[in-house]
Amino acid sequence: MLALMGPELLAVSFALLSAISWGAGDFSGGVAARRLNPYLIALLVHATGLLLFTLLALLRGEAFQAQDVPWSLGAGLAGCLGLVFLYRAFEAGQMGLAAPMAGVVGAGLAALVGFVLEGHPTPSQLLGFGVGLLGVWLAARPDGASGPSRGLIYAFLAGLGFGGYFTLIHQVEGLFWPSALAKLTATTLMFGLVGGLGLLRREARLVASLGLVGLAGLLDAGGNLLFLVAAQTGRLDVAAVISSLYPAFTTVLAWALLRERLGQGQVMGVVLSLAAIALIAAG
């Protein structure tokens, strides 16, 4: 079946799977965050990815390519900073505004870099990018979230971090070793932050939540891997925008499994996200 698809359609498929995996991972991590500190969850999620990618690299016998090292380390740094700034945005302002802003800025930055590196997309893809970014904003933004937020500057910086991750990891040639190096960088930085805040000593409920956090880590790693495959198969902007639709899948899971009510704007966001996938795939 895969052999019958062209490179762009394959990229769309892998990017869509990446969005689903990231969305499910965020849902699992969000449920765990009701019990544990989010910085500690981020550390454990990155550590799970590090162990998984290292094991897969060794089992596959993937060659270590030195030219991938700076790109991988840079991607890990950018992604980790993006996550830290996102949590700062959540703490300082309105989560309903911070999350979609970070998603839109990250996807937008990667799309701009894709335009420069790979040329202008087709009109259908360009329309799909716009529809998709609007869908991300609406799907992640609860109804009634309005007004200025002190955390929006952190959300903007988080988006730059996520966009930097998309752009930098796209430059690597390998698969598992670059992903492992990126996770090693993020794990090291988060360990320093968590240790400095003393969170490991304070969390008495850690053991009871390890299964849920481990699932979040596996899903996050799957999203990372699928995005990298999508970006290596097709255009960076296509992979980044479709992968950034993950908030729509988190929203759907929260509705289906936790019975959370969806506002009209969120329903429209999910619909627009699906329309964006069709437009980009048609291009």
Side-chain angles (χ1 to χ4, degrees):
M1 182 67 179
L2 292 179
L4 299 178
M5 296 184 181
E8 285 303 323
L9 190 54
L10 270 177
V12 169
S13 300
F14 283 123
L16 178 58
L17 291 173
S18 172
I20 294 172
S21 190
W22 269 337
D26 278 1
F27 172 78
S28 302
V31 174
R34 298 179 176 181
R35 310 173 190 173
L36 301 175
N37 183 281
Y39 290 125
L40 180 57
I41 293 173
L43 167 63
L44 296 174
V45 165
H46 287 313
T48 301
L50 170 61
L51 292 174
L52 177 64
F53 289 138
T54 302
L55 179 61
L56 289 173
L58 293 173
L59 289 176
R60 187 187 180 193
E62 181 177 280
F64 185 86
Q65 303 186 55
Q67 67 269 24
D68 286 347
V69 172
W71 300 113
S72 302
L73 297 181
L77 174 62
C80 182
L81 290 177
L83 194 61
V84 170
F85 279 127
L86 184 62
Y87 286 149
R88 287 297 304 273
F90 289 167
E91 293 171 351
Q94 296 170 314
M95 185 180 297
L97 288 175
M101 172 172 274
V104 169
V105 171
L109 175 61
L112 288 175
V113 174
F115 295 171
V116 173
L117 296 179
E118 299 165 339
H120 206 275
T122 67
S124 174
Q125 289 176 328
L126 194 58
L127 178 60
F129 295 162
V131 171
L133 294 178
L134 179 59
V136 170
W137 178 272
L138 292 174
R141 184 176 184 268
D143 283 356
S146 60
S149 169
R150 293 183 295 111
L152 289 189
I153 182 62
Y154 290 127
F156 180 79
L157 293 173
L160 293 181
F162 296 146
Y165 170 82
F166 290 146
T167 302
L168 292 169
I169 202 67
H170 174 253
Q171 305 301 318
V172 304
E173 297 181 9
L175 190 62
F176 296 122
W177 280 126
S179 299
L181 283 174
K183 286 296 185 185
L184 174 62
T185 304
T187 300
T188 302
L189 292 173
M190 289 307 304
F191 185 80
L193 177 61
V194 167
L197 295 175
L199 296 176
L200 289 174
R201 298 190 300 270
R202 300 177 198 168
E203 290 290 355
R205 297 165 291 182
L206 176 59
V207 175
S209 303
L210 280 180
L212 195 58
V213 176
L215 176 61
L218 291 174
L219 290 167
D220 175 75
N224 289 333
L225 191 62
L226 288 163
F227 167 77
L228 181 53
V229 173
Q232 291 179 343
T233 303
R235 291 176 59 97
L236 170 61
D237 45 15
V238 169
V241 172
I242 292 186
S243 296
S244 294
L245 299 178
Y246 64 87
F249 295 101
T250 304
T251 299
V252 170
L253 285 173
W255 167 76
L257 299 180
L258 300 181
R259 302 304 179 189
E260 291 188 2
R261 187 184 69 84
L262 295 184
Q264 292 182 348
Q266 290 176 301
V267 173
M268 180 59 67
V270 172
V271 172
L272 288 176
S273 297
L274 295 175
I277 294 169
L279 286 168
I280 296 172

